[in-house]
Amino acid sequence: MLLTTTPTIEGKTIKQYYGVVTGEVIIGANVFKDFVASIHDFFGGRASSYESTLTKAKDEAMQEMIDRATRIGANAIVGIDLDYETIGESNSMLMVSCSGTAVTI
């Protein structure tokens, strides 16, 4: 599956458009991760526990989108957009969503 944030693929002709495909993942914040992140914030540095969780959530949302595109016959997704949003009571959850246009090249 060819993936791109651009609306076209240089050197390729889009033969068929299937429409928008999406992927969504919602993850809960963990108290231990919050504690570790606050220590990192206080002393400086990167909160690697949050970064790895975000990366995993993004990868899962992307894979969900790819699976949906594959099921409808697409071999590429163009115009991909990723969004991160806090949701839930006290913004205790994070939603990672992605969308793009499924196509055949």
Side-chain angles (χ1 to χ4, degrees), residues 1 18 66 68-77 101-105:
M1 179 74 57
Y18 295 96
I66 291 166
R68 289 175 176 166
T70 300
R71 283 194 300 270
I72 60 176
N75 64 2
I77 304 172
T101 302
V103 299
T104 296
I105 54 173

Side-chain angles (χ1 to χ4, degrees), residues 5 38 45 101:
T5 58
S38 67
T101 302

Side-chain angles (χ1 to χ4, degrees), residues 10-22:
E10 188 174 340
K12 303 285 185 182
T13 301
I14 295 176
K15 298 175 184 172
Q16 184 171 355
Y17 289 86
Y18 295 96
V20 174
V21 286
T22 61

